[in-house]
Amino acid sequence: MKRKWGTVLLSTLVVSSLTLSACGSDTPSKETKDKAPSGSTDKVSTAGFPIVKEPIKLKMFTRTAPANGPFKDMPVFQDYEKLSNVQVEWIEAPTDGFAEKKNLLFASNELPDVMYRSGLTPLEAIRYGTGGQLIPLEGLIDKYAPNLKKLMETYPEIRPAITTPEGHIYAIPGIVTVNSARTDKRWMNQAWLKKLNLKEPETTDELYEVLKAFRDKDPNGNGKQDEIPMTARASGGPGLGIPVADIMGGSFGLDKQLGYYINIENDKVNIWMGSDRNKEMLMFLNKLYSEKLLDQEVFSQKEAQYIAKQATGNTGFFFDQTNNPMLGTKVNDQYIGISPVKGPHGDRLQLSAPVPRDFGAFAITSVNKNPEATMRWIDYFYSDEGSTLLRFGRQGDNYELRNGIPYYTDAFLATGNQSKITPYAGGGAPHLISEKVASFINPPQVQEAQKKLDPYMPKIFAAPLFDEQTAQQINILRNDIDKYYEEQTTKFIAGALSFDKWGEFQSTLKKMKIDELQKLYQDAYDKMKQKK
């Protein structure tokens, strides 16, 4: 399974098409901006089902992943329509080109009632919210979303991550309370370790020696030097970094707080791109790459290639959230999760995503005439019962309960249709992922791997929401800085840029106003602390 958190860390403020006008001629007036439109509240139940006595219809715009089937054919939405009395007309757009279609809806002001699984960025939420095209949700949450409200009380880090400086919530995230869905596991080939009489590495030096043995000592026994000692995904996406650098950064004390290249120590924000610790980490990865211990395709391989390498058994060390690519293959028991390795300064951090993992997953637009019923509709999926329906479909047909936990039936697994029946496949669906609904992504092998990561997971502060002016300012700064940083990082690791150029690299970051960017994040962090 692809690392969803890595692609949806709440940091990204870059919007490719925001030169389009946020509001058309029919944009709601100023009077409507700070209050949600009121539907027939006397007809909306505050608890239980149906949500409304007489059926209502909602138009929802959504992204569909390549693996998904039509939303109207999914059991979750067919069954929930009967339960809730809310009929949904889905306006589907594939992942490729989705952002452009989404932006066009707002630019033309031809809005649906709901943006579902829409991946709204923080800048989009602020812009379309203050412009009156998205309505504030905090009052609706308080009255009509008991499940979501309880989660926000239980996990206080959720509210500041989705609340604007003015106190409004314009979009609801996906919420992940199970740790294993917020981390990449560190999968190591234990069959190779045993054959070569090696122990699990505990330090970066020991990892280096293990990888050399994987390269040189023919652990697969075919007489060829064709083993891949270590591999990783090629890209985390624009502004999201180089995955192998993110994962190894924890061994050098490099965290990713506030959804960016940030450490927080004693309430001080430090963007560490040009730091000595980062230089050390990149030099270590350069050594692995230059000695062919790190996959030579690590910067170019497609997702399908990376997944295929996991299932071959010919890889020594790789990273993934689950063991899904290995399931059903002869190599499944060949791998074991290991702990983060300790770096030269004793650092041993595990990168993870925050509890509010998928920002902008759900929003209600200003054309929606039934916002109260709509909030009740989505709130169900922030309960274990609703999330079970969304993720697993129909009991008996698709899943069975074992000790109260849903598992896909063997017969249904054999069909290979899991991604056809649920919108969670492909990531970004607004719902709760808890231990009670995570059996498919959190089987025993993954649980054991996660136990080795839990002691090293710091508290994560999600990316803050900025006012529109500040968000635009950050967007401009990061457009240049992120692109430059990721290009240079790749060159440093691959040996295309000498570390003699590190001073020039630091100077260029300064010229790009990285200190100004750091101050903006510091101000946002200070405001977040004040709200608690």
Side-chain angles (χ1 to χ4, degrees):
M1 179 176 177
K2 187 174 180 179
R3 182 185 66 169
K4 299 301 182 293
W5 61 265
T7 59
V8 197
L9 278 174
L10 306 184
S11 61
T12 181
L13 298 174
V14 181
V15 183
S16 61
S17 303
L18 281 179
T19 54
L20 295 173
S21 170
C23 304
S25 59
D26 296 327
T27 299
S29 64
K30 178 71 172 72
E31 288 75 13
T32 69
K33 289 183 180 180
D34 292 333
K35 64 180 181 179
S38 178
S40 301
T41 58
D42 59 327
K43 296 181 180 180
V44 179
S45 64
T46 55
F49 293 103
I51 292 172
V52 287
K53 293 181 179 179
E54 297 297 325
I56 62 172
K57 294 183 179 181
L58 297 173
K59 289 185 178 181
M60 298 195 185
F61 178 71
T62 188
R63 175 180 64 83
T64 58
N68 292 142
F71 276 36
K72 65 180 178 59
D73 295 337
M74 292 180 178
V76 52
F77 297 125
Q78 292 178 345
D79 293 359
Y80 194 39
E81 179 179 321
K82 297 174 184 176
L83 183 66
S84 65
N85 238 358
V86 176
Q87 301 169 357
V88 176
E89 176 186 338
W90 293 103
I91 305 168
E92 299 176 358
T95 298
D96 289 339
F98 176 78
E100 289 78 6
K101 292 181 180 179
K102 175 178 60 175
N103 290 332
L104 184 59
L105 286 179
F106 285 103
S108 64
N109 210 35
E110 295 179 359
L111 298 172
D113 296 301
V114 168
M115 305 296 294
Y116 180 93
R117 195 200 197 184
S118 54
L120 289 163
T121 67
L123 181 53
E124 287 174 322
I126 291 285
R127 168 166 286 188
Y128 302 139
T130 57
Q133 292 177 296
L134 299 178
I135 67 170
L137 305 177
E138 59 275 5
L140 294 171
I141 292 171
D142 188 56
K143 295 179 181 179
Y144 295 98
N147 295 311
L148 180 56
K149 184 178 179 182
K150 182 177 179 181
L151 285 169
M152 293 170 69
E153 292 169 350
T154 304
Y155 300 93
E157 61 265 45
I158 296 173
R159 186 175 291 275
I162 62 175
T163 302
T164 70
E166 294 77 25
H168 292 313
I169 297 172
Y170 291 115
I172 300 172
I175 295 176
V176 183
T177 61
V178 57
N179 279 352
S180 66
R182 299 192 290 116
T183 63
D184 262 356
K185 314 306 169 295
R186 299 163 181 262
W187 297 109
M188 181 157 279
N189 197 321
Q190 64 173 338
W192 289 5
L193 290 175
K194 291 177 181 178
K195 182 173 182 179
L196 302 178
N197 197 28
L198 298 169
K199 66 175 184 177
E200 295 175 27
E202 294 285 332
T203 67
T204 49
D205 288 341
E206 290 179 7
L207 174 62
Y208 173 69
E209 295 300 328
V210 165
L211 295 178
K212 281 203 302 182
F214 287 170
R215 181 193 64 190
D216 299 335
K217 296 186 177 181
D218 193 29
N220 66 11
N222 68 356
K224 303 176 183 178
Q225 198 175 55
D226 59 351
E227 293 86 353
I228 303 172
M230 174 178 170
T231 189
R233 282 190 163 82
S235 174
L240 295 177
I242 308 298
V244 68
D246 287 348
I247 292 167
M248 293 305 300
S251 297
F252 295 83
L254 304 176
D255 204 353
K256 288 193 82 172
Q257 294 288 353
L258 303 176
Y260 201 51
Y261 305 95
I262 285 174
N263 279 8
I264 299 175
E265 297 180 8
N266 299 320
D267 288 334
K268 295 298 182 183
V269 169
N270 175 38
I271 297 179
W272 47 255
M273 290 172 165
S275 70
D276 290 341
R277 289 291 187 93
N278 189 30
K279 181 181 179 182
E280 285 185 76
M281 186 266 292
L282 294 176
M283 291 179 73
F284 176 72
L285 290 176
N286 168 252
K287 180 169 73 168
L288 299 186
Y289 188 86
S290 64
E291 297 183 22
K292 293 183 169 54
L293 304 178
L294 178 59
D295 192 349
Q296 302 297 284
E297 297 179 330
V298 72
F299 300 118
S300 61
Q301 62 188 340
K302 302 296 184 184
E303 176 70 8
Q305 289 176 279
Y306 179 62
I307 295 297
K309 288 176 180 178
Q310 298 180 29
T312 63
N314 201 42
T315 300
F317 187 38
F318 66 89
F319 315 94
D320 212 317
Q321 179 186 314
T322 76
N323 63 345
N324 287 357
M326 299 179 281
L327 286 176
T329 72
K330 61 183 180 181
V331 307
N332 188 48
D333 295 330
Q334 196 168 316
Y335 290 91
I336 187 172
I338 70 168
S339 302
V341 292
K342 186 185 299 183
H345 304 283
D347 299 294
R348 206 172 191 178
L349 297 177
Q350 171 61 34
L351 181 72
S352 64
V355 170
R357 192 185 71 176
D358 300 310
F359 184 87
F362 187 90
I364 301 176
T365 74
S366 57
V367 304
N368 190 316
K369 297 180 180 179
N370 298 280
E372 297 85 3
T374 304
M375 182 56 68
R376 278 284 335 269
W377 185 91
I378 193 59
D379 183 61
Y380 181 58
F381 298 111
Y382 290 94
S383 69
D384 285 324
E385 178 183 301
S387 185
T388 296
L389 175 60
L390 183 141
R391 296 177 71 86
F392 289 90
R394 295 181 178 125
Q395 187 172 358
D397 290 347
N398 308 122
Y399 76 92
E400 60 191 6
L401 291 175
R402 304 176 198 165
N403 298 320
I405 303 295
Y407 290 82
Y408 288 127
T409 65
D410 291 340
F412 181 61
L413 282 173
T415 68
N417 288 331
Q418 299 92 278
S419 60
K420 302 294 184 185
I421 70 157
T422 170
Y424 99 78
H431 71 303
L432 167 68
I433 304 178
S434 69
E435 290 187 359
K436 292 185 178 180
V437 299
S439 63
F440 188 61
I441 60 171
N442 192 37
Q445 186 180 14
V446 172
Q447 292 177 34
E448 290 302 312
Q450 181 61 38
K451 287 178 183 177
K452 295 186 177 181
L453 304 181
D454 283 336
Y456 307 106
M457 290 174 60
K459 179 180 179 181
I460 295 295
F461 291 93
L465 278 182
F466 302 93
D467 62 76
E468 185 176 0
Q469 182 179 355
T470 305
Q472 288 281 25
Q473 189 177 359
I474 288 176
N475 188 48
I476 292 169
L477 290 170
R478 282 192 49 183
N479 265 333
D480 292 333
I481 290 174
D482 291 358
K483 182 179 179 181
Y484 175 74
Y485 177 73
E486 289 165 24
E487 287 176 348
Q488 301 306 98
T489 294
T490 299
K491 290 179 180 179
F492 278 126
I493 295 173
L497 183 63
S498 169
F499 285 95
D500 292 341
K501 302 292 185 180
W502 189 258
E504 294 179 21
F505 170 69
Q506 291 175 309
S507 297
T508 301
L509 288 174
K510 290 278 189 182
K511 291 176 183 176
M512 290 181 166
K513 301 182 179 179
I514 195 170
D515 291 338
E516 181 178 329
L517 182 63
Q518 179 171 290
K519 184 180 184 305
L520 293 173
Y521 273 102
Q522 180 71 62
D523 292 345
Y525 173 76
D526 292 342
K527 291 175 182 176
M528 288 173 62
K529 295 287 289 185
Q530 292 171 6
K531 290 178 181 178
K532 291 188 176 183

